[in-house]
Structures are given as C-alpha cells and as structure tokens.
Amino acid sequence: MKIACIGAGYVGGPTMAMIALKCPEFVVTVLDINEARIAAWNSDELPIYEPGLFEVVKACRGRNLFFSSDAAKHVKEADVVFVSVNTPTKTRGIGAGKAADLSYWESAARMIASVSTSSKIIVEKSTVPVKTAAAIEKVLARNTSNPDVRFEILSNPEFLAEGTAVKDLEAPDRVLVGGKDTPSGQRAISVLRGIYEHWVPCERVISSNLWSAELSKLAANAFLAQRISSINSISALCEETGADVRQVSDAIGMDSRIGSKFLNASVGFGGSCFQKDILNLVYICESQGLSQVAEYWNQVVLMNDWQKTRFVDRVISAMFNTINNKKIAVLGFAFKKDTSDTRETPAIDVCKGLIDDGGLLSIYDPKVREEQVMKDLLTPKFQWDHPKTSETEFNKHLPVSVVGDAYEACKDSHGICVLTEWDEFRGLDYKRVFESMSKPAFVFDGRDLLDHAELRKIGFVVYALGKPLDPFMTRG
C-alpha cells in the first residue's frame, strides 16, 4: 500500500512517521509545497520539535518514509491520501474572525482530482467544520476527468497534544474513523482501521458517521479549553479572596466525576487548535440559528483573552503603574513546554500588552527561535496560519531582544514574567538572578511553576497567578 499525506506540519509529519514506523510494509510519503520545510524533514534538524520525534523519523526515513515536494507524482501513485493542510480562521468576508478558511483544503482536493488515475481513499486529517466532507466530495467529483475514478472520503481527526505527540500517537486514547454507511464507505473504514490496528488495540479504534467524526474534534477541543477557562476564572476569585487556586483545583480534581486534568490555572491557553476550533464552533452554531449555544462557547474565548489582559494589568500595576523604559524578562514563549510551537501562545498577547505600556522585553525560550518570536509579535491576529502574509510587516522595530540564556534575559531587568512551564526555569539560581536585577525585583509567575516562598526569602516581590497576593501588591 502507498500512503501520501498533503501537509508536512505538526500533524502530518509526526502522524505519517508513526504509521511508517509501525507499518514497515507500507510506503509513506509526506508532501508539502514549502521546499524549505521538506528539506528540514530530510535533515538532522526537523522543522518542529517534539520529544522522541527525531528518533522515529530517523528509523524510517529513506526506508519507507519519504518527504517530497512533488505532490502530483506521489498523490497519483497513492492508495490512501491524508490531507493535513491549514484550516485557518477567515480574515475577511463572511464569517471573518470565526469561520474556518477551507481554501487550502479545496486546492488540495482539486489537485488530487486532477492527477488521479485510480480510485482513492481521502482522509480528512485537518480540523474541519461539520459537512466539509460533502463539499470536498463535490469538488473531487466535478474535477475528475476519468469516470472510473472514485473517491471515498473519511474523517480521521487528530487528538494529539503537543509536547507528547509521539506518545499520543504510539498509545492513543482512541482513534476515530468516520465514514459513510454504504458498502464502499464501510470498506474504506476497514482499510483505515487496518492501518491503525497494526499497533492500536482494536477496541480503541472506533467508527462513526462522517458528521459525528468531524464534530467530535471541535467538541473535544472546546471541552478542554472550557476547563482551562473555568479554572482561570476561579484563579481571579482566589486572588481577591485569599484562596489558593492550586488547593481548589486539587480538591475538585479528586472528584471522580470531574478529574484532575486541565485544571492548572495559567496565563491562558494557546496552540493551533483551541481558539480556532471554538470560534469555528461558534460560527457553525450561529449559522444554524443556535445563538445561545454560540454565546456559551464564545465566552470560553473571551475568558481566555481576559486572563491574558488581567496578567498584563497585574504586572503594570505592581510596578508602580508604569513599565515605560523598564526591562522585563520573559521566560518562555512557546504555548506549552516540550514544544517549539508558538501558534496562539498567550505570550504573544502578554508581550504586546507589555510593549504597549513601554516595556523593553528580553525574551528567552529554549526551543523558539528569534525570527519566530519577532514574526509572531508583528503578525496581525488570525494571520499566523496564512502563509501568504506580507513580509513587509516584519520590518517594524520592536523594543524586544531575544536571547539565548535565561540569566542574560533577567540581567538588569525590573521584573520576570514566566509564560511557559519549561522545567529548566525551576532550576535557575534565583539568588544569582536577584542580584543581577533592579530593585525591587518582581517575579510574575503565569504558570504556577516556581517556589514562591523561596523566592520571597531571597527578596523578590512575587505575583503567583491564582494565589493570595503579596502584601507589596495589595491595594490600599
């Protein structure tokens, strides 16, 4: 069997690498129009960072795993074609700011139809709105010149968590395959199930109809983000009442009906999916006349935005209501630890808020490159996932330096903002850091990562999100 995947990003690359590892009899080719990205996949410095990913790629690459920009050739030869292209939020026209932009998916479908000389299974791997399969089926049917070529569309949403993607692929909670309840649809489902069942227990590979599978991905991300916004709302109340959000989350997390996952208060959620998928869900609900449902889910996003704004306000108010010309160290820029992904990271909005008040930022992240930080800070909202964004915007000057060492970031700073929960930040010599800073020296822990009592002993003024406020910071 030959498998092709259109899209060599955070989903397509790791997923295909795992399939190649577990199914050595299959030939798997990952495709992308971005030749620099393909070159990186073929090098020793992969375009994305995930623990364990390089080892998986290295074990298969050149044997039954290939990376290529020749999409037409490999799609034509493939039996199964996964499509894992961007589905960003629309920035103009109907649904701008909420609806998913399916132009990349449509382009992929047109290309598949134009080069195919044999029937194929087309697998939706991108996160898409409900009923996308029906639209794509029409595009495929109307752009195929050979009447003997048939396409069977399946929905196979990914449920990976960045930072643990390799583990999630190797031992998934479930694999969902959605298809039509027709003989050809059921045969296609069996083929895709057979691929995954090379290593996933059959009881964890579940089937549904197409629309349930498409909606399940949006609903899963909405539920996860809702939990984060819920505990973040409680973190604000904890600060005002003297409660400790960690103790509250531990208490409610011990309830077996609730569970402890996704109950860590933070400066906000990020990543490529949560906000985009919720806004997509909101738009779908509005389109179906379900205004109350739309408002309910939109509040999850609004709470997330407010949490980031609240954090910036705490920083500014604590530092005597101005950070103009004050150096602020930012520790962490990725949206979570163990990944280089900065898409929708809360650090973007926090940094922009600090810059707007005149702060001079010194940013350190162990896995995020300087050019990515600067691009993120200069890219307009919702434009990050649109590859054709004009590069002219990136020539603007920002009061930002990106450094290669946490101690350098902190030297001569007035305050430290911890925005990503990298383990290395726990192990810093904070006495050394304190001695190098302007006084009073502030720490604003947006991830509840550090030993706040020890920091206060050293002499820091500490703001710990969701914890009783430092007396230095209380009003009045």
Side-chain angles (χ1 to χ4, degrees):
M1 181 186 295
K2 290 188 175 182
I3 298 172
C5 177
I6 301 174
Y10 278 89
V11 175
T15 303
M16 293 303 107
M18 186 59 67
I19 289 176
L21 180 70
K22 300 296 186 179
C23 307
E25 71 273 29
F26 298 159
V27 176
V28 181
T29 305
V30 185
L31 306 164
D32 205 291
I33 61 173
N34 186 331
E35 293 189 1
R37 177 176 291 176
I38 291 299
W41 278 110
N42 283 317
S43 73
D44 288 339
E45 190 172 346
L46 303 185
I48 63 175
Y49 172 75
E50 279 287 334
L53 178 59
F54 178 73
E55 290 75 13
V56 173
V57 171
K58 189 176 181 180
C60 306
R61 192 172 58 196
R63 184 193 70 190
N64 69 323
L65 175 64
F66 303 92
F67 298 91
S68 173
S69 58
D70 191 349
K73 175 183 183 296
H74 293 287
V75 167
K76 180 180 179 179
E77 296 174 353
D79 303 294
V80 179
V81 180
F82 288 80
V83 182
S84 184
V85 296
N86 292 337
T87 53
T89 303
K90 289 184 69 176
T91 58
R92 65 176 73 181
I94 296 174
K98 292 179 182 177
D101 181 348
L102 297 179
S103 57
Y104 303 118
W105 230 115
E106 183 178 342
S107 295
R110 291 178 185 278
M111 185 274 290
I112 293 169
S114 68
V115 303
S116 294
T117 56
S118 60
S119 297
K120 304 182 188 302
I121 297 171
I122 310 300
V123 183
E124 292 178 340
K125 203 64 183 169
S126 308
T127 303
V128 295
V130 184
K131 299 289 186 176
T132 295
I136 297 305
E137 187 174 41
K138 293 176 183 177
V139 173
L140 289 167
R142 294 302 179 95
N143 286 275
T144 305
S145 57
N146 188 336
D148 295 326
V149 173
R150 296 285 186 269
F151 299 102
E152 197 65 47
I153 301 176
L154 301 178
S155 175
N156 175 220
E158 57 85 15
F159 296 104
L160 306 180
E162 291 187 43
T164 60
V166 173
K167 292 181 179 178
D168 294 342
L169 285 165
E170 194 157 30
D173 291 336
R174 79 293 201 195
V175 173
L176 177 58
V177 180
K180 291 183 178 179
D181 189 17
T182 62
S184 61
Q186 292 302 303
R187 284 195 298 270
I189 289 174
S190 295
V191 170
L192 189 53
R193 286 183 62 107
I195 293 173
Y196 285 111
E197 288 174 4
H198 273 67
W199 78 96
V200 181
C202 61
E203 65 271 14
R204 292 192 179 184
V205 183
I206 60 176
S207 303
S208 72
N209 67 38
L210 271 170
W211 323 131
S212 296
E214 289 179 337
L215 182 56
S216 292
K217 172 61 176 177
L218 297 180
N221 280 341
F223 273 62
L224 294 172
Q226 177 198 51
R227 286 174 68 92
I228 297 173
S229 281
S230 294
I231 197 63
N232 281 346
S233 71
I234 298 300
S235 74
L237 183 59
C238 287
E239 291 172 25
E240 299 301 327
T241 60
D244 184 322
V245 71
R246 174 63 67 85
Q247 295 174 358
V248 173
S249 65
D250 286 347
I252 63 177
M254 292 180 71
D255 188 325
S256 60
R257 298 168 299 174
I258 298 172
S260 60
K261 292 184 178 180
F262 281 78
L263 287 181
N264 293 322
S266 69
V267 69
F269 59 73
S272 64
C273 291
F274 280 3
Q275 176 170 285
K276 175 173 70 73
D277 290 355
I278 294 173
L279 291 174
N280 189 358
L281 184 63
V282 168
Y283 179 73
I284 293 170
C285 292
E286 290 174 343
S287 301
Q288 299 297 323
L290 303 173
S291 59
Q292 291 86 351
V293 181
E295 290 171 8
Y296 175 84
W297 288 111
N298 194 51
Q299 191 61 40
V300 174
V301 175
L302 295 179
M303 178 58 64
N304 193 56
D305 290 340
W306 181 73
Q307 182 80 337
K308 291 178 285 189
T309 300
R310 192 172 74 83
F311 184 85
V312 172
D313 291 346
R314 284 290 193 198
V315 173
I316 296 170
S317 63
M319 299 176 72
F320 317 110
N321 214 36
T322 181
I323 57 171
N324 188 49
N325 288 323
K326 293 178 181 178
K327 179 181 178 181
I328 307 296
V330 175
L331 299 186
F333 198 82
F335 85 93
K336 63 187 288 190
K337 72 173 185 176
D338 293 333
T339 181
S340 59
D341 196 354
T342 62
R343 293 176 293 180
E344 294 292 353
T345 174
I348 294 173
D349 286 341
V350 170
C351 288
K352 287 181 177 179
L354 298 174
I355 291 169
D356 286 345
D357 201 69
L360 311 176
L361 306 189
S362 184
I363 301 173
Y364 167 68
D365 187 288
K367 292 297 179 182
V368 180
R369 298 175 180 175
E370 178 179 7
E371 56 266 30
Q372 187 63 53
V373 172
M374 302 306 291
K375 182 177 180 179
D376 288 337
L377 293 177
L378 289 167
T379 300
K381 194 172 183 66
F382 299 129
Q383 286 285 355
W384 57 267
D385 214 11
H386 291 263
K388 295 181 181 179
T389 300
S390 173
E391 294 292 330
T392 59
E393 283 292 317
F394 305 147
N395 295 326
K396 292 172 58 179
H397 175 71
L398 288 176
V400 173
S401 62
V402 180
V403 300
D405 178 81
Y407 294 107
E408 183 181 354
C410 296
K411 184 180 179 182
D412 298 323
S413 68
H414 291 256
I416 301 169
C417 294
V418 180
L419 300 184
T420 310
E421 69 279 20
W422 288 104
D423 292 335
E424 74 173 74
F425 298 154
R426 286 194 179 97
L428 296 178
D429 181 349
Y430 281 98
K431 289 183 179 179
R432 172 185 169 186
V433 171
F434 180 78
E435 292 169 359
S436 73
M437 292 176 63
S438 297
K439 308 298 186 295
F442 294 85
V443 171
F444 302 92
D445 189 351
R447 294 289 182 171
D448 192 18
L449 181 71
L450 307 179
D451 185 335
H452 305 133
E454 183 61 29
L455 291 176
R456 291 188 175 102
K457 286 181 183 178
I458 293 171
F460 287 100
V461 178
V462 179
Y463 166 67
L465 193 146
K467 303 294 183 73
L469 290 178
D470 191 300
F472 190 97
M473 299 180 66
T474 55
R475 300 185 180 93

